[in-house]
Amino acid sequence: MKITKFLGLSFLLFAFAATSFHEGVQAEDPTAVLDFYGREVQAGASYLIDHEDIRVVTATINPICNSDVLLSTGNEGLPVKFSPVINSTDGVIREGTLITVSFDASTCTGMAGVTPMWKIGFNSTAKGYIVTTGGVDRLNRFKITKFESDSSFYQLSYCPNSEPFCECPCVPVGANSDNYLAPNVSYADFRFKPDPGIRAHKMENKMVSE
């Protein structure tokens, strides 16, 4: 009888300890992606992407929802929005998590089958696969990781969604010889700056309301 009671008590203590241990070692959220000013990048907010203060991410044509994506030195760039594939609880974009990337464009509204979301497509002019628009949610996944551990720059990678057929690795997105953004051509370091046009618009609305 004493042995039975001892075994029963031991089992209860083990179960309690296991439960407590599980709660105590819950994984922390991945590190937040930080913008140019050191603030957390927010899902759904507008950002400009620049490359070493020299080139900015923009589109080849207007409307931008029918265009390819490239690096340019000739303009101020076009804003993008990041959206987590799995909704986050705090709306923060985090390193290494799957996201979709879209130009912040209202010009695609009402255009059937056309979106400003980034995807990978073949381009005969660029002679290969590049980043273009017209993506479908959850099928065109990217992720952001630190370019170097002690750097303020980040690396953008494309993560093919081939489940359940294979576990395809993510590949870096850089610029090809024609300055198109393209997968698996080279590493490129990017930074994310809050869109000043959006901020100015908000200030104008605030002044009008006051």
Side-chain angles (χ1 to χ4, degrees):
M1 181 64 71
K2 289 182 178 180
I3 295 177
T4 303
K5 289 183 178 180
F6 175 77
L7 291 175
L9 180 60
S10 299
F11 176 78
L12 291 175
L13 290 173
F14 175 79
F16 174 77
T19 303
S20 301
F21 178 76
H22 174 73
E23 292 178 352
V25 297
Q26 285 182 341
E28 296 182 357
D29 289 332
T31 303
V33 176
L34 302 180
D35 68 14
F36 179 78
Y37 302 103
R39 298 186 293 247
E40 294 177 340
V41 171
Q42 301 293 316
S46 295
Y47 294 90
L48 300 174
I49 304 178
D50 73 20
H51 173 60
E52 295 183 339
D53 281 333
I54 300 174
R55 296 182 291 176
V56 291
V57 171
T58 186
T60 51
I61 59 174
N62 194 10
I64 60 178
C65 39
N66 277 325
S67 66
D68 301 321
V69 184
L70 74 161
L71 286 175
S72 173
T73 57
N75 55 45
E76 298 179 352
L78 290 172
V80 302
K81 290 183 177 181
F82 305 110
S83 300
V85 171
I86 299 176
N87 291 332
S88 63
T89 57
D90 56 5
V92 173
I93 299 299
R94 300 187 178 278
E95 293 183 29
T97 58
L98 294 174
I99 60 173
T100 58
V101 185
S102 301
F103 280 122
D104 186 7
S106 59
T107 52
C108 298
T109 303
M111 299 178 66
V114 179
T115 74
M117 183 178 292
W118 290 11
K119 69 174 185 178
I120 301 299
F122 186 81
N123 183 293
S124 57
T125 302
K127 298 181 177 63
Y129 287 94
I130 62 170
V131 181
T132 184
T133 56
V136 179
D137 193 18
R138 302 183 72 88
L139 295 180
N140 301 276
R141 310 178 306 178
F142 293 81
K143 72 176 182 179
I144 299 171
T145 53
K146 247 327 177 36
F147 185 70
E148 294 176 348
S149 59
D150 59 347
S151 170
S152 61
F153 289 90
Y154 290 90
Q155 169 66 47
L156 185 66
S157 298
Y158 172 66
C159 302
N161 186 1
S162 299
E163 301 166 346
F165 305 107
C166 71
E167 294 183 6
C168 302
C170 299
V171 294
V173 170
N176 64 17
S177 58
D178 295 316
N179 288 328
Y180 289 96
L181 287 196
N184 214 22
V185 290
S186 65
Y187 283 93
D189 48 351
F190 297 111
R191 292 185 299 187
F192 313 111
K193 296 182 178 180
D195 181 15
I198 297 296
R199 189 163 60 248
H201 180 68
K202 289 182 177 178
M203 288 297 296
E204 290 177 359
N205 289 341
K206 182 179 180 181
M207 292 174 64
V208 170
S209 63
E210 293 176 348

